[in-house]
Amino acid sequence: RPLTADSMIELMADLFTELYDVPDGRMGQLISNAVANAPLSAVRDAYPVLVFDPGFSVAPRHYSLFLETLASQGYVVFAASHPYVTTLTVYPDGRTVEAVSEGALRAAWGVRAYFDAEFQDMWVPDIEFVLDQIDGLNQDDPQGMFAGRLDTSAFGFIGHSMGARTLTEVCLFDDRCAGVINLALNGTIMLSAM
């Protein structure tokens, strides 16, 4: 069945209830200020774009309050999901993919450290794909919402943990990056140029 805003809320609530052992029905009572398919305001011709990348295995929905706050300040915010690692990835046609276990990731990557393998071979290319899709929406959005309305000359990046690592790497080689905000990045990043 096609995924709607209501069925997405129900699906995520069921998944969070199971993941975090929350009593039945509690997660479904959380209220969001986001509105599905809300039109862009006519106040500006083009809006600045922020790309958010969550931490390893975390769904963008975990950051709803933060992302809604950014959007309320005049940004168009796109959040990435990484299939088979993000808690739940939902495709435009309604198909869903849940995260696989740590054991399955270890098996899939063999002798390679799965965090590094996911980062290099999946997460960085995922973000490049997301940026290209946003550029495409700005050129020719089939639904007309974003066409010509996004300032894609320079993207702002905000990432948490593994998402911060990913966006920092992308910012090193993609000229579309205006800057990165790293939230709770573990470890040290050596930047060769910025």
Side-chain angles (χ1 to χ4, degrees), residues 154-185:
F155 292 100
F157 291 165
I158 302 175
H160 173 238
S161 192
M162 180 76 147
R165 178 184 179 196
T166 303
L167 292 174
T168 299
E169 177 71 16
V170 171
C171 200
L172 288 174
F173 65 81
D174 193 312
D175 293 337
R176 296 175 286 187
C177 174
V180 182
I181 296 174
N182 295 327
L183 305 174
L185 177 64

Side-chain angles (χ1 to χ4, degrees), residues 124-194:
V124 168
D126 282 351
I127 295 301
E128 283 295 297
F129 176 79
V130 167
L131 297 178
D132 292 343
Q133 294 301 303
I134 296 169
D135 275 337
L137 284 173
N138 194 47
Q139 296 301 314
D140 182 29
D141 178 4
Q143 290 152 7
M145 181 185 297
F146 296 116
R149 302 292 313 277
L150 304 174
D151 178 359
T152 58
S153 64
F155 292 100
F157 291 165
I158 302 175
H160 173 238
S161 192
M162 180 76 147
R165 178 184 179 196
T166 303
L167 292 174
T168 299
E169 177 71 16
V170 171
C171 200
L172 288 174
F173 65 81
D174 193 312
D175 293 337
R176 296 175 286 187
C177 174
V180 182
I181 296 174
N182 295 327
L183 305 174
L185 177 64
N186 294 326
T188 301
I189 293 182
M190 301 301 291
L191 300 177
S192 56
M194 189 77 145

Side-chain angles (χ1 to χ4, degrees), residues 35-115:
V35 176
N37 302 314
L40 282 179
S41 169
V43 171
R44 294 183 182 173
D45 291 334
Y47 285 87
V49 176
L50 295 175
V51 175
F52 178 77
D53 201 11
F56 198 85
S57 79
V58 184
R61 181 154 169 89
H62 281 85
Y63 305 89
S64 293
L65 178 62
F66 177 61
L67 301 177
E68 288 174 5
T69 301
L70 293 170
S72 76
Q73 298 305 305
Y75 295 96
V76 174
V77 182
F78 292 89
S81 288
H82 301 278
Y84 303 103
V85 176
T86 297
T87 310
L88 180 70
T89 299
V90 181
Y91 289 99
D93 65 4
R95 289 177 297 131
T96 60
V97 176
E98 290 186 35
V100 298
S101 69
E102 183 177 341
L105 283 175
R106 287 183 192 280
W109 291 109
V111 297
R112 292 178 67 190
Y114 70 90
F115 275 116

